Amino acid sequence: MAEAYTRAWLNYGPAGRSENTEYFRTILCGNQENPVLKNAIEEIKTGAGGMYSLSPQWAAAKPEKGGYIELAVNADLDTAEEGYTIKTDDRRVLISGKREIGVLYGAFHVLRLAATKKSLAGLDIKKQPSFRWRLLNHWDTFAPPAIRDNSDSSALAGSLFFENHGIICNDRTRDYCRMLASVGINGLAMHNVNVYNDALDMLLPRFYAEMRALSTLFESYGIGMLISLNFASPVLIGGLETADPRNERVQAWWKETMDRLYANVPNIAGFVVKADSEGVQGPFDYGRTQADGANLIARAIKPHGGLVFWRCFVYNSTQDWRDTETDRAKSGFDNFHPLDGKFDDNVILQIKNGPQDFQIREPVHPLFGTMEHTHEMLEFQLLQEYTGGATHVCWLIPEFKEVLDFNTYALGKDNTVADVVGGKTFKDYEKSGVVAVANANSSSTWCGHDIHCANLYGYGRLLFDASLTAEEIARDWIVQTLSDHPQVVKNLLHILLTSRTTYEKYNAPLGLGWLCNNVVHYGPGPDVYEYDRWGTYHRANWEAIGIDRTSRGTAYTLEYNEPNRSTFDNIDTCPQELLLFFYRLRYDYVLKSGKNVLQHIYDTHFEGVEDVEVFLKEWDALEGLVPEDFFKRVQQKFKNQLAHSKEWRDIINTYFYRRTGIKDAGGRKIYD
Ligand code: GCU
């Protein structure tokens, strides 16, 4: 019988390398009762079974002969709290963690080395995470939103955590925790940031028992539980007539509710809050600021050591498309920047990587590095809501690296986004980190597409060690998941490393964004957002396209520190790939490539489809070199991607041809 779901990168296939085998005979660990250490022991057993057909024995004392892996907690280790060292001497691999979780991370490190066929001899490794908080926000709901539950877009398919109005905690949940711990994820919110219906009750006794079971499991893998909450809860479930943060009864309600919750559910790291956004209530409803709102929750949970992850995705989602003054891209900065220093110390602002909403190309959000007295956290999206759903391969790690490497010039000097959210710039490592909207769901391949697991894997690896290159991460994923056969590695490396550029080619050009369908956000719909209320307009007419966001236009550019401000504000220095984000350009404007804007759009849309044809060929060449079921599933996905990239090409090219009446210089087919 086929397995209900894949093992993703933890499949521990035969790993050869006989010199490693010896170490897996015995596991020495002084304390096998501790749940985290127990998981480390179990994981090594599973790995040894799969890779070397061995069943290592646990031992409390050093074995007289033969190789062994020793697991040790050493509070004096010179690392951050979750750090570890790995040292091989003679017949022993010694994994030391400052705390138990470091031991578990070290165990996964050793298993990864073995699975990627590296030698375990002579190791001398010291590691600690680049970011304190390495989080996921699942956007699961108790009832999956039917409209998004289709196999192509599947941005939000079935939930890993909810079923039949209840919370799931089973073997699969454990396997998911193993996957997350193996790449160092240390916190997770189960529910969507839009909190309604059953989800409101996650603060109440109704779910205490289920939440307790889940958070205890999480804890044994070093994962803190995050809870998404609705700011209007005092009204929606508390029987109060207001949720005003300055109201004493509201304050008392939050305090009592949180006291009870913490008393009943262990291991709650914090709360994620979306407020005053897209119809969700917030402090603005009571004439209060975002700081009033965040501090209300922060004070209620402070005695319990909890954190508030307050999202900055606050904007007017009822804009009139005729209104050319309002620029949605400015909303995050405008709503939060004036409040610098007003947030309590246990509030962290959660800021999307760009000022809009996870488009394939956006500039870095101007809030990064501009709020000296506020904790800032970066939000990415692994869920490929706008980047190809469960069909298009779009490996996001190169993009994530670009964002992390962006120089914010905070404090007037070199300070990358990674420095800011890594706690280096403002010296607040404990309140630093990165979060991503998660892409795993109830699908048998975890992420709806076997290759999309590389995004989840890569995200964790990058956060734990920001110095890794995209290629190093990709290579490890390929070998751990599939094979180290040179052809497999070569073809998949090419696909992964170029897939984001390919998707960008046939999606939205030059940072324009928003040429997609509404609701599912999948597939082309170049005018769908144009006359809607979401503030996302390209305003294409017969001669020009884009919004002027420079100091001559909406003045968005002025929100950046210098010299970024001037760089973006000058068309000669503005990065070409972002030109249509910052400028309104005539179609005949000539880019640095020598092509004009229109020809660039035509060319990239043709090229994008050609790239996918190459992906399909590269994948076909792997038949027989990767497991057959995996091969077939991915082959079908690439066929679908090819068909859908043609939709993008033809609809976008036709759209601009109809607008301009100008033909492709290459004479290729564009439909009338
Ligand atoms: C997007 C997405 C919403 C989500 C929102 C958010 O707009 O379509 O479903 O709730 O982002 O980040 O809150």
Side-chain angles (χ1 to χ4, degrees), residues 344-472:
D344 282 8
D345 192 49
N346 58 336
V347 176
I348 307 183
L349 295 189
Q350 185 167 317
I351 308 163
K352 289 192 182 187
N353 61 276
Q356 294 195 321
D357 195 6
F358 305 131
Q359 301 303 292
I360 187 68
R361 174 84 60 180
E362 293 187 41
V364 165
H365 202 297
L367 277 177
F368 291 114
T370 51
M371 293 184 77
E372 192 178 337
H373 306 288
T374 305
H375 305 303
E376 294 190 333
M377 179 149 190
L378 166 62
E379 180 179 320
F380 284 129
Q381 193 182 47
L382 293 166
L383 180 77
Q384 292 178 238
E385 184 184 356
Y386 294 95
T387 53
T391 298
H392 301 245
V393 172
C394 184
W395 196 52
L396 297 162
I397 304 310
E399 178 195 335
F400 293 178
K401 281 189 79 74
E402 254 168 50
V403 172
L404 288 167
D405 289 346
F406 178 78
N407 196 342
T408 67
Y409 296 102
L411 304 176
K413 48 185 193 244
D414 287 343
N415 268 305
T416 62
V417 171
D419 292 333
V420 173
V421 302
K424 288 190 188 141
T425 307
F426 306 126
K427 302 194 176 36
D428 48 13
Y429 179 78
E430 277 307 308
K431 308 275 168 54
S432 74
V434 183
V435 57
V437 181
N439 61 346
N441 53 45
S442 60
S443 133
S444 59
T445 57
W446 292 100
C447 302
H449 187 318
D450 293 270
I451 294 186
H452 286 13
C453 291
N455 272 328
L456 178 57
Y457 175 90
Y459 168 72
R461 293 291 309 279
L462 181 65
L463 260 47
F464 205 90
D465 183 354
S467 72
L468 289 173
T469 66
E471 183 170 337
E472 285 167 327

Side-chain angles (χ1 to χ4, degrees), residues 96-242:
S96 310
K98 186 160 179 132
R99 291 196 288 117
E100 288 80 2
I101 185 61
V103 175
L104 180 63
Y105 288 156
F108 275 116
H109 191 142
V110 166
L111 288 164
R112 180 169 64 242
L113 291 175
T116 52
K117 306 191 182 173
K118 310 229 173 65
S119 172
L120 299 182
L123 296 179
D124 187 3
I125 294 171
K126 178 170 156 181
K127 286 271 175 199
Q128 57 189 11
S130 302
F131 303 97
R132 166 67 180 91
W133 291 103
R134 306 172 301 280
L135 306 177
L136 287 175
N137 282 181
H138 273 259
W139 281 3
D140 295 21
T141 47
F142 279 78
I147 198 151
R148 289 188 173 175
D149 192 11
N150 74 64
S151 60
D152 292 333
S153 69
S154 116
L156 300 168
S159 172
L160 265 179
F161 294 104
F162 307 107
E163 200 175 50
N164 299 329
H165 304 280
I167 296 176
I168 303 171
C169 183
N170 58 21
D171 286 349
R172 186 167 181 185
T173 326
R174 176 177 287 276
D175 282 336
Y176 187 51
C177 291
R178 291 174 50 226
M179 286 163 66
L180 299 187
S182 79
V183 294
I185 301 292
N186 69 354
L188 181 149
M190 295 82 73
H191 196 274
N192 195 298
V193 286
N194 301 304
V195 179
Y196 300 107
N197 306 320
D198 290 310
L200 292 165
D201 293 351
M202 289 173 78
L203 300 178
L204 300 181
R206 176 181 163 198
F207 286 127
Y208 285 168
E210 284 158 285
M211 302 268 280
R212 188 158 50 232
L214 194 57
S215 74
T216 306
L217 171 66
F218 282 4
E219 198 171 19
S220 73
Y221 284 94
I223 300 168
M225 180 182 269
L226 307 177
I227 300 174
S228 306
L229 61 78
N230 188 320
F231 189 78
S233 293
V235 178
L236 299 173
I237 51 171
L240 301 186
E241 67 295 339
T242 175

Side-chain angles (χ1 to χ4, degrees), residues 73-79 81 97-99:
V73 176
N74 174 1
D76 296 331
L77 214 62
D78 178 26
T79 64
E81 288 298 303
K98 186 160 179 132
R99 291 196 288 117

